[in-house]
Amino acid sequence: MTDPLPAPPAPRIVGAGPAAIARAAACLRSGGLVAFPTETVYGLGADATDDRAVARVFAAKGRPRFNPLIVHTASGAAAERLAAFDDRAERLADGFWPGPLTLVLTRRPECPVSPLASAGLDTVAVRVPGHPVAQALLARTGIPVAAPSANRSGEVSPTTAAHVRDSLGDRVPMILAGGRCPVGLESTVVDLSGPTMRILRPGAITATAIAAVLGEPVAPPPPVAGTADAPASPGQLASHYAPRAQVRLDARQAEPGEALLTFGPDLRSGPMVLNLSETGDLAEAAANLFAHLRALDAGGPPSIAVVPIPDRGLGVAINDRLRRAAAPR
Ligand code: AMP
Ligand code: MG
């Protein structure tokens, strides 16, 4: 009788202390993958200058290669070595970095980022995250780190280390645990590479906040920009961030068997009901969105009914993610 094959090694979830961060930095520098917390969601990091490391990220996520990655650096100065910052980019970086804002800018000729990371475009998306673990890891590696959300492509983004393990399993050898992500939604992506500035993806930094820093009006992104055939930004597909269950928006109540995601003062409760924020706080709702979708999905309902969420402030980004979760697949 032959022995059964050994089980693949479980991904290691390690508390993000100094020793673990040093190990993670060494892993990144040698071409390995590390999942780590940021203020938005957990990222799946790789050395952005290493073609093979970047290819491993696309493979681990099952991400289509036309969907470029955001490159993370420890400082604005490090980002300026990769891309050309004009006056508006400088002001946005000064106003919001470190923080949940991504700038799409023209690559510098000497930019060392793998063309695969930016999907062969002459632009590169850069961000300086503010989460202390992400900051410590980036400072320790000293290299630009390409890091999309640490989930299989198309799935709901992870806001805890356990979500990363549930989604990627042994495709990621090391997960740095740093608690729940405080923002809970992906960064706002602003394209400054063309003649007119565009918000490609709404996120934690609102169009109003961007307009206030720039002193000029900023068009909010169209609701669910682009379609599966013609995404406004490569990778901004209509269907994304999707749980297994169907998602039904603007619901007043759950149909029999449906789970319910609600918001604000609401007396309904039960095993299939979760409230994004009982006090109607949109920041709390953003932080809970992905975890609540995952938790309701785990009960295996045919569909998750979602009550209307106010479409202002952070609600714009919440509704963007909900529309993508509800889009035909
Ligand atoms: P994710 O890595 O899942 O947070 O997604 C990154 C987002 O940034 C995707 O929507 C990409 O399409 C967008 N993005 C990254 N790089 C670029 C770029 N060079 N041009 C336009 N969009 C980009
Ligand atoms: Mg993602």
Side-chain angles (χ1 to χ4, degrees):
M1 224 176 89
T2 52
D3 287 335
L5 285 172
R12 287 181 313 143
I13 297 186
V14 287
I21 287 175
R23 275 212 311 285
C27 177
L28 288 172
R29 278 199 302 267
S30 62
L33 304 185
V34 174
F36 62 96
T38 80
E39 66 273 39
T40 60
V41 300
Y42 274 71
L44 179 63
D47 178 352
T49 67
D50 177 339
D51 295 327
R52 287 199 298 176
V54 173
R56 284 188 196 108
V57 170
F58 282 95
K61 282 184 59 81
R63 179 165 172 130
R65 294 238 180 159
F66 60 78
N67 189 356
L69 309 180
I70 296 171
V71 178
H72 298 72
T73 58
S75 67
E80 294 200 23
R81 290 196 280 276
L82 310 178
F85 280 62
D86 62 8
D87 178 54
R88 280 195 296 205
E90 295 283 1
R91 274 187 285 160
L92 291 178
D94 284 348
F96 296 110
W97 283 356
L101 181 72
T102 296
L103 302 178
V104 173
L105 302 167
T106 305
R107 286 171 73 110
R108 286 189 183 283
E110 68 275 22
C111 175
V113 168
S114 161
L116 184 57
S118 44
L121 301 167
D122 59 4
T123 53
V124 62
V126 286
R127 177 164 98 87
V128 177
H131 193 289
V133 173
Q135 269 288 325
L137 179 64
L138 291 167
R140 182 84 194 207
T141 61
I143 48 176
V145 171
S149 53
N151 54 279
R152 293 283 289 169
S153 186
E155 282 182 3
V156 174
S157 294
T159 53
T160 68
H163 292 163
V164 178
R165 182 198 52 212
D166 294 349
S167 191
L168 290 176
D170 56 15
R171 295 182 182 89
V172 53
M174 182 178 190
I175 303 170
L176 279 180
R180 292 180 46 178
C181 300
V183 173
L185 291 179
E186 299 81 357
S187 59
T188 305
V189 180
V190 177
D191 184 359
L192 292 168
S193 66
T196 50
M197 179 176 64
R198 295 188 306 159
I199 295 184
L200 299 179
R201 175 173 76 185
I205 307 284
T206 61
T208 315
I210 291 171
V213 162
L214 293 181
E216 58 179 291
V218 177
V224 185
T227 64
D229 296 330
S233 162
Q236 281 296 83
L237 304 175
S239 171
H240 208 71
Y241 313 107
R244 281 185 200 86
Q246 295 295 313
V247 173
R248 188 165 68 80
L249 300 182
D250 294 323
R252 297 281 152 209
Q253 63 212 15
E255 302 298 333
E258 263 187 339
L260 179 68
L261 187 60
T262 184
F263 173 81
D266 187 335
L267 294 177
R268 287 172 285 192
S269 66
M272 303 261 280
V273 180
L274 284 175
N275 196 323
L276 289 168
S277 169
E278 287 179 10
T279 60
D281 175 352
L282 287 166
E284 183 184 19
N288 283 331
L289 178 66
F290 291 144
H292 280 10
L293 281 174
R294 279 174 184 263
L296 291 177
D297 206 26
S303 129
I304 300 171
V306 187
V307 304
I309 310 292
D311 206 36
R312 58 178 157 76
L314 265 176
V316 174
I318 295 173
N319 283 322
D320 170 83
R321 303 306 187 272
L322 285 170
R323 279 188 217 102
R324 288 176 208 283
R329 308 193 188 147

